[in-house]
Amino acid sequence: MKTLFYGGKILTMSDLMYAGGVLVEDGKITWISPQSPLPLGEKDCTYVDLQGAVMLPGFVDAHSHFFQVATSMLQVSLNGARSPEEMGQRIRDYIAREKVQPGEWVIARDYDHNLLPQYQHPTLEQLNSYAPENPLIIHHKSGHMGLMNGKALDLLEITPETPDPEGGKIGREDGKLTGYLEENAFISAIKRAPMPGGEALLQGFQKAQQLYASMGITTVQDGMVVKEMLPVYQQLLERNLLQLEVVLYCAPEAYAAARAMVEAQGENCPVRVGGMKIFLDGSPQGRTAWLRQPYAGEAEYRGYGTMTDEQVEEAFLLAARSNTQLLAHCNGDAAVEQFLRCLESVQRQQPNLAALRPVIIHGQLMGKDQMEQAARLGAVVSFFVAHVYHWGDVHIRNLGMERAEGISPAASALQTGIPVTFHQDSPVIPPDMLETVWCAVARRTESGVLLGEEERISVEEALECVTKNGAYQYFQEDRKGKIAEDMTADLVILSQDPLTTPIQQLREIQVLQTYKHGYCVYTRQDN
């Protein structure tokens, strides 16, 4: 199969910044014309006239949770809800609309207490009223905490006497449960809840895949895979339902089983195992990120870590001995400090760790004083830079202006020589790469505050973070992230050239088409 793209601008992200035409054969780029070529006239060639549109390398998702995005398609959305009453009404409407039977589990997502009156979570009494005949779980938008009604707490055997796990908290008031759980307490509880299955779940994956493709993303990450997820991936592979490349980062105990599953599929498997994933703290908007200095208005509270140094070092050792990459969720600067401390300690025993490109995920409050050490140790940093817009105003309240201006310090990291990538941590927010590019360049909060002007970067640098640098994070810089000969034909066609679009209009650029290995996997309906 041959395809010739011509008739527009081709932004290659390589030494030849712009090209006029690209020929794709059998999923690879085989020829590039510096100027727009005329169609070749070959009978076996498909011609794609860009009609003045702009083609770039396909965007690389540096961190998200593909499985959770799929399951979110089966859940009640509470996104933007501004009162406990609105949350309850959406859940009751869902139960009635979907004809949910008494006793069936109801899962809701994306509530944000920062939008609720006095920033207070709903009470257990309110939670019980939302679904009086059903066990109910509500995921916080951060993914680091959540709510359960009384029926769910009973079925999961969580009582006032249940001890808090290390690195987690079960909400209690006057010796009674409140229905609120955070970090390891919430994570361990939802693992015990029934997982959705059947055709509905597989359809959720197809919808999730189309969502990523509609954002121009051709490489997707599942950033915390546990053993319970692997049978679903097995089904997806057996039924050939995956068009995009999905890279799994597994809990250490699931790594070997995931590798065995993927290796049994052969070299053309659309799923591959990228490495292992751990998390060292929580979220700054939820005030559980682990900080070196207390939160604003607190005398001592700095959030907390979720793993001991010994546990972190064990994870690094396992990754080194498995010759695989380790990703670590680190939002606060104290968590970053633990990551670097443990990485340096283990590198003395396992020098190959630097070559394995360990990744700091999120790095929201990474300090400038930590960057030289990170660069020296070979770390990659993947910033959730869209926090500037979505929670920048919350960070000002939680951290004070000076610290809030330093969130997602992409410019400082790039100046230090650290490879930087960007992500959206989906389903926390949609996997909108163009919005993320705008966030990195504009650094405006939802209320319009310019947050950290010195950390703004250029549009070209931001595009590199979601193309070339993303490929580097995945050890695929020789295969993707650029439009060049012998590279994989992962491509996205945009309505405008980001390099010439006014900054305030960057997030208005539309994805018109997305190609994976030269095959079109998404076309905008009104295109």
Side-chain angles (χ1 to χ4, degrees):
M1 173 185 171
K2 295 181 182 179
T3 305
L4 177 70
F5 296 90
Y6 70 103
K9 294 172 72 174
I10 297 171
L11 181 52
T12 66
M13 304 307 298
S14 64
D15 294 337
L16 174 67
M17 183 58 78
Y18 286 102
V22 168
L23 183 66
V24 171
E25 295 185 56
D26 299 324
K28 282 198 170 185
I29 297 167
T30 58
W31 176 75
I32 293 180
S33 171
Q35 298 178 352
S36 187
L38 294 173
L40 298 176
E42 297 185 27
K43 293 182 180 179
D44 61 345
C45 187
T46 299
Y47 303 105
V48 177
D49 186 348
L50 297 176
Q51 299 181 339
V54 182
M55 190 164 75
L56 278 78
F59 297 139
V60 178
D61 165 32
H63 179 68
S64 70
H65 302 272
F66 184 49
F67 196 103
Q68 279 71 29
V69 174
T71 58
S72 75
M73 302 294 176
L74 312 177
Q75 298 169 355
V76 190
S77 174
L78 302 178
N79 191 47
R82 294 186 173 272
S83 71
E85 292 74 24
E86 183 181 355
M87 291 173 61
Q89 191 59 53
R90 290 197 200 181
I91 291 168
R92 286 188 288 269
D93 289 347
Y94 171 85
I95 291 172
R97 182 176 65 251
E98 301 298 325
K99 298 181 173 57
V100 179
Q101 297 301 305
E104 293 181 350
W105 286 78
V106 176
I107 312 295
R109 60 183 172 87
D110 288 345
Y111 91 96
D112 188 346
H113 72 290
N114 291 295
L115 301 179
L116 303 181
Q118 288 79 51
Y119 318 122
Q120 295 297 308
H121 301 275
T123 65
L124 183 58
E125 182 179 7
Q126 289 170 321
L127 296 170
N128 288 338
S129 72
Y130 296 167
E133 298 183 317
N134 303 86
L136 170 68
I137 297 175
I138 306 178
H139 293 253
H140 190 270
K141 193 170 180 66
S142 68
H144 284 264
M145 56 196 71
L147 305 168
M148 297 185 183
N149 69 358
K151 287 187 178 296
L153 292 168
D154 289 344
L155 288 170
L156 297 176
E157 299 181 340
I158 299 171
T159 71
E161 290 72 38
T162 302
D164 289 343
E166 183 178 348
K169 175 184 173 183
I170 299 172
R172 299 176 179 84
E173 192 172 295
D174 299 327
K176 297 180 180 179
L177 296 174
T178 64
Y180 170 82
L181 299 93
E182 69 183 31
E183 302 302 341
N184 283 339
F186 184 64
I187 292 168
S188 64
I190 60 176
K191 282 183 180 179
R192 303 197 303 274
M195 185 180 296
E199 290 300 316
L201 180 57
L202 297 180
Q203 290 172 13
F205 272 94
Q206 291 176 295
K207 291 178 182 177
Q209 187 170 219
Q210 191 67 2
L211 173 64
Y212 281 93
S214 74
M215 301 293 185
I217 294 170
T218 52
T219 300
V220 177
Q221 185 180 121
D222 199 333
M224 189 58 175
V225 175
V226 296
K227 286 183 178 180
E228 292 83 355
M229 298 178 182
L230 296 181
V232 179
Y233 273 108
Q234 185 71 48
Q235 278 188 286
L236 292 168
L237 292 171
E238 289 173 356
R239 294 176 60 168
N240 198 30
L241 295 178
L242 295 175
Q243 295 175 301
L244 304 180
E245 181 178 347
V246 181
V247 187
L248 309 183
Y249 285 84
C250 306
E253 60 272 15
Y255 176 77
R259 283 287 302 270
M261 177 192 73
V262 169
E263 289 171 0
Q265 299 294 317
E267 62 180 60
N268 293 322
C269 181
V271 175
R272 67 184 186 87
V273 178
M276 301 178 189
K277 166 75 183 299
I278 57 176
F279 72 101
L280 307 189
D281 71 341
S283 70
Q285 70 270 36
R287 296 174 71 92
T288 56
W290 188 17
L291 310 181
R292 291 186 288 185
Q293 298 298 323
Y295 283 89
E298 300 281 355
E300 297 183 6
Y301 178 71
R302 301 181 296 116
Y304 52 88
T306 56
M307 297 177 69
T308 65
D309 278 14
E310 183 180 14
Q311 291 170 328
V312 176
E313 289 186 8
E314 285 176 359
F316 273 124
L317 278 168
L318 180 59
R321 290 166 181 163
S322 303
N323 198 38
T324 198
Q325 191 177 39
L326 183 74
L327 274 57
H329 165 116
C330 307
N331 262 314
D333 48 6
V336 172
E337 186 175 278
Q338 183 186 40
F339 175 95
L340 296 173
R341 180 173 63 246
C342 295
L343 174 58
E344 183 147 35
S345 174
V346 177
Q347 271 195 22
R348 296 190 192 105
Q349 308 168 53
Q350 301 284 342
N352 66 321
L353 261 179
L356 295 175
R357 301 177 189 174
V359 184
I360 295 171
I361 294 293
H362 306 325
Q364 284 297 328
L365 288 154
M366 185 177 186
K368 292 181 182 179
D369 60 308
Q370 297 174 320
M371 291 184 180
E372 184 178 337
Q373 183 184 14
R376 175 169 50 82
L377 296 174
V380 176
V381 181
S382 188
F383 288 118
F384 190 169
V385 72
H387 254 256
V388 173
Y389 174 74
H390 289 276
W391 289 282
D393 298 309
V394 174
H395 294 327
I396 293 171
R397 186 177 74 239
N398 282 344
L399 304 167
M401 180 59 79
E402 183 178 353
R403 278 193 291 175
E405 286 189 317
I407 65 169
S408 295
S412 294
L414 288 170
Q415 289 162 10
T416 309
I418 297 171
V420 171
T421 65
F422 292 150
H423 64 269
Q424 296 82 30
D425 204 20
S426 301
V428 175
I429 62 172
D432 189 337
M433 286 295 182
L434 291 167
E435 180 192 64
T436 287
V437 167
W438 171 79
C439 289
V441 174
R443 287 191 68 97
R444 293 281 178 180
T445 71
E446 190 173 18
S447 70
V449 175
L450 175 58
L451 195 61
E453 183 173 12
E454 67 177 13
E455 296 298 346
R456 296 170 73 175
I457 62 175
S458 70
V459 177
E460 183 178 341
E461 287 172 321
L463 289 173
E464 288 178 346
C465 290
V466 300
T467 55
K468 294 166 62 173
N469 295 3
Y472 176 86
Q473 179 181 308
Y474 284 123
F475 296 87
Q476 293 186 318
E477 62 268 32
D478 61 342
R479 290 184 48 207
K480 61 179 65 168
K482 296 185 292 185
I483 296 176
E485 290 184 7
D486 296 324
M487 302 293 275
T488 301
D490 290 356
L491 308 165
V492 58
I493 299 174
L494 305 180
S495 60
Q496 296 168 243
D497 182 353
L499 294 185
T500 60
T501 299
I503 290 175
Q504 64 271 22
Q505 296 175 18
L506 281 171
R507 57 179 174 164
E508 298 172 13
I509 296 174
Q510 302 295 320
V511 174
L512 303 181
Q513 286 187 309
T514 303
Y515 287 79
K516 180 65 181 174
H517 295 304
Y519 289 91
C520 185
V521 293
Y522 168 78
T523 298
R524 185 176 168 84
Q525 291 301 313
D526 58 358
N527 182 25

